[in-house]
Amino acid sequence: SAQIADLQQKLLDADNGDQAKQCWDSIATILEARCALKYLLGELVSSKVQESKLQSSLEQSQTSGSDMQKMLMEERNHIAELEAEFQNQILVQEQQHQEKVNHSSWK
C-alpha cells in the first residue's frame, strides 16, 4: 500500500508539472505574457533575496568558525603551556626527592 501511495503521489506530481508546462505553452496574448513575465520577475526577486540571506548566513557561519578555530588554538597553546609547567614541577619534585634519598643514605 505504501508503494501504491508513492506511485499515486508521483502521478499527481507529474500531472501538476504537465499542467504548469501547458500553462506556459498556452500563453497566447500579450496580456498573458505580461502576467507571466511579472510572475517570473517576482520569482526572480524572491530567489535573489533568498540567495542574499543564505550568503549572509554562510559568511556569518564562516566568521564564527574562524573565531572558534582561533579560540581552539589558543586553548591548545594554553594547555601545552600548563603541561610543560606540570612536567617541570614533576622534574623538580623528583630531583628534590632524589636529593633527600641521597642525603639520607649518606647519614
Side-chain angles (χ1 to χ4, degrees), residues 10-26:
K10 286 181 181 178
L11 284 173
L12 287 173
D13 292 342
D15 286 342
N16 289 339
D18 288 342
Q19 287 175 356
K21 186 177 184 311
Q22 288 174 357
C23 179
W24 292 108
D25 288 342
S26 67

Side-chain angles (χ1 to χ4, degrees), residues 70-86:
K70 183 179 177 183
M71 284 176 36
L72 179 61
M73 289 303 297
E74 289 172 355
E75 288 300 317
R76 285 182 176 166
N77 289 339
H78 182 66
I79 289 172
E81 290 171 4
L82 291 175
E83 285 179 350
E85 184 179 324
F86 179 70

Side-chain angles (χ1 to χ4, degrees), residues 51-107:
E51 178 192 17
S52 177
K53 288 179 182 178
L54 289 171
Q55 184 68 30
S56 176
S57 177
L58 174 63
E59 288 170 1
Q60 288 176 351
S61 295
Q62 286 174 333
T63 300
S64 177
S66 294
D67 291 345
M68 293 297 272
Q69 267 188 322
K70 183 179 177 183
M71 284 176 36
L72 179 61
M73 289 303 297
E74 289 172 355
E75 288 300 317
R76 285 182 176 166
N77 289 339
H78 182 66
I79 289 172
E81 290 171 4
L82 291 175
E83 285 179 350
E85 184 179 324
F86 179 70
Q87 289 297 327
N88 191 37
Q89 288 177 356
I90 289 175
L91 183 61
V92 168
Q93 292 291 328
E94 287 175 348
Q95 287 173 348
Q96 288 175 351
H97 176 72
Q98 190 62 39
E99 288 174 5
K100 285 181 184 178
V101 168
N102 288 342
H103 185 15
S104 65
S105 68
W106 287 101
K107 289 186 175 184

Side-chain angles (χ1 to χ4, degrees), residues 41-54:
L41 287 174
E43 289 295 309
L44 176 63
V45 168
S46 176
S47 66
K48 287 288 187 179
V49 167
Q50 185 66 19
E51 178 192 17
S52 177
K53 288 179 182 178
L54 289 171

